[in-house]
Every structure is written in structure tokens, then in C-alpha cells.
Amino acid sequence: MSDVTSGDRRVRRTQETLQRALIDLVDAQDLSRISVADVVERAGVSRSTFYDHYRDVHELAEVACTTMIDTLIDSMPRPSGDATHSLLAFFAHLAEHAGLYRSLLGPQGSARVIDHVRRRAMVGSYRGARGITDPSEGIPHDVPAAFTAGALIGVATDWLQRGCPRTPAEMAALTWPLLAALYPDGARPASLHP
């Protein structure tokens, strides 16, 4: 039993090492220019070790960003009241990790990561708008949630690609009125009322 636990710890440690190596590399160059050889050299592991855990750099990028994306989604605006503080946290998170998100969400980024972020943002928006906390509860097709996710990803990507010319606070102030229009007075769409 302790061998399994020890093995699990080693696997997690190796995965974390590979993920940290990729995040460090993305801070210095675009994801599209990072190879498996770059990652394994930075991580100090063999290519076979890399392939024991991941198919390619894009899969590693998706996994490496899961925790960061969860943090990002946790800061998503909730369409009720004044959610500019949530948007401020959202844009501050992006600014803190601008190099990573610029690479992952930009034109040379990863379609898998972009889709992963969009889906997570849509679920976060839907659940936030309805006060749903059970992560196992699925969501139906919801136009406002899909629109919110797409709009935030689009605005964030443009802002990052332009070098973050406005502060996170300015971005929050400019973005909130647009998103608030989806849920006037915090009301849910008519089709969702009981």
C-alpha cells in the first residue's frame, strides 16, 4: 500500500515538475515555439518520462493551466449587483500571468486550451448566475452563459495581445456594464424562472 502511495507521489511530483517547466518557458516564449525537448531539458527528465504522462506540449499546457484556470473562473463576474470587484480579480489574474495567457489564448496558442477556458468560463458563468454550487450538476445550452464566456475570452485575449494597455480596474469598469446588460437588475432569463 505504501508503494502505491509513494508511486502516486512520484507521479504527481513529476507532473508538477513538467507543468512548472512549461509555465516557466511560456513566460519567455510563445507556446507554439516550445518543444517537448525544451520542456524535458528545463524539467530535468527524459523524453520517455514526458510521454509517460502527456501526448504533447498542448496537452501538458492544458493540464498545467487547470489550477490557474480554476482561479480565473472563480473570479468570474456573477451577474447580480455590482460585480466589478469580480471582474477586477479576473483581469488582475490575467495581468499577473500575462505571458502565459498571451501565449495560450493568442493566435499561436492552443485551440484545446482556448476551448477548455471557454467551457470552464461558461459553466462558471451559468452556475454563478443561478447560485449553483454543486459542481456535478450539468448545465443546459444557455445563451447568456455562452455569450459571457465568449465575450470575456475575446476581451481578455485582445487586451493581452495589445500588452495590457489599460489597468485591470479600467478593464473591469469598461466590461461590467456590457455583461450586466445580459441580466438586468440581476434577473434571470425568463425561460429560467420557475
Side-chain angles (χ1 to χ4, degrees), residues 4-158:
V4 171
T5 303
S6 168
D8 289 346
R9 272 187 256 145
R10 278 193 301 268
V11 166
R12 280 194 308 272
R13 224 180 354 247
T14 301
Q15 290 172 340
E16 288 169 3
T17 299
L18 288 165
Q19 292 168 24
R20 274 193 311 273
L22 178 68
I23 289 168
D24 290 345
L25 289 166
V26 169
D27 281 340
Q29 61 185 323
D30 287 338
L31 180 65
S32 63
R33 296 182 179 192
I34 297 171
S35 67
V36 170
D38 296 329
V39 174
V40 299
E41 179 180 333
R42 180 74 172 226
V45 301
S46 68
R47 286 179 76 88
S48 63
T49 298
F50 178 94
Y51 289 115
D52 285 343
H53 300 279
Y54 305 104
R55 287 185 308 252
D56 55 27
V57 171
H58 291 287
E59 182 180 39
L60 172 60
E62 184 173 338
V63 173
C65 292
T66 298
T67 300
M68 293 177 68
I69 290 167
D70 288 343
T71 301
L72 181 89
I73 299 311
D74 287 345
S75 68
M76 292 279 294
R78 304 298 185 239
S80 61
D82 178 14
T84 53
H85 64 281
S86 295
L87 275 170
L88 176 58
F90 174 83
F91 285 107
H93 175 84
L94 290 176
E96 181 181 351
H97 306 286
L100 176 64
Y101 284 111
R102 188 177 294 115
S103 291
L104 294 174
L105 302 177
Q108 301 302 314
S110 167
R112 283 186 272 188
V113 172
I114 293 168
D115 186 60
H116 183 75
V117 173
R118 183 194 56 76
R119 284 183 286 112
R120 300 287 296 266
M122 187 173 68
V123 169
S125 177
Y126 179 84
R127 289 183 179 148
R130 286 147 192 83
I132 297 170
T133 56
D134 180 4
S136 66
E137 186 173 328
I139 69 164
H141 174 67
D142 184 75
V143 172
F147 184 86
T148 299
L152 282 175
I153 297 303
V155 167
T157 300
D158 182 66

Side-chain angles (χ1 to χ4, degrees), residues 156-169:
T157 300
D158 182 66
W159 180 61
L160 289 164
Q161 294 304 312
R162 293 174 187 271
C164 305
R166 296 180 187 267
T167 68

